[in-house]
Amino acid sequence: MKELEKNNHYQILKVDLPAGTHMPRHFATSDVFVVVESGNALLICKNETSELVKGSTLSIPSHEPHILKVIQDFKALIVMAGDAVITYSVL
């Protein structure tokens, strides 16, 4: 992940992941808004799977553990609170 913008109110991260990448269970300390630019991935949250494709948008509540499995090279923008962090610790 690459930080594109950050201030006291929000931060924008660029995600660029190759096919086959598996992001293990993780969560953010604020609500997160995802905008998919290209590719295909599966987001598994609360035992439900959402397919993310170009043009998809999705919000993930604060502290909600989830897993991302990249099917096709994947690019997305992540918007979250300025002081938020992503952690791979399980709640």
Side-chain angles (χ1 to χ4, degrees):
M1 280 186 263
K2 178 182 176 185
E3 184 179 284
L4 297 180
E5 179 72 33
K6 184 174 183 176
N7 62 35
N8 291 335
H9 304 286
Y10 66 87
Q11 57 184 302
I12 301 172
L13 305 174
K14 172 85 170 174
V15 175
D16 191 349
L17 300 169
T21 300
H22 176 185
M23 288 182 70
R25 188 179 178 129
H26 61 282
F27 65 90
T29 56
S30 79
D31 291 348
V32 171
F33 189 71
V34 180
V35 179
V36 180
E37 296 181 304
S38 65
N40 183 299
L42 299 176
L43 183 100
I44 303 163
C45 183
K46 292 184 180 178
N47 293 324
E48 292 183 22
T49 301
S50 299
E51 185 175 15
L52 303 177
V53 297
K54 182 179 180 177
S56 295
T57 59
L58 177 75
S59 61
I60 304 169
S62 173
H63 292 90
E64 188 64 56
H66 54 280
I67 297 167
L68 183 73
K69 295 182 179 183
V70 179
I71 307 303
Q72 182 183 34
D73 292 354
F74 185 75
K75 293 183 182 183
L77 297 174
I78 308 295
V79 182
M80 60 187 181
D83 61 350
V85 294
I86 295 172
T87 182
Y88 290 89
S89 298
V90 178
L91 292 176

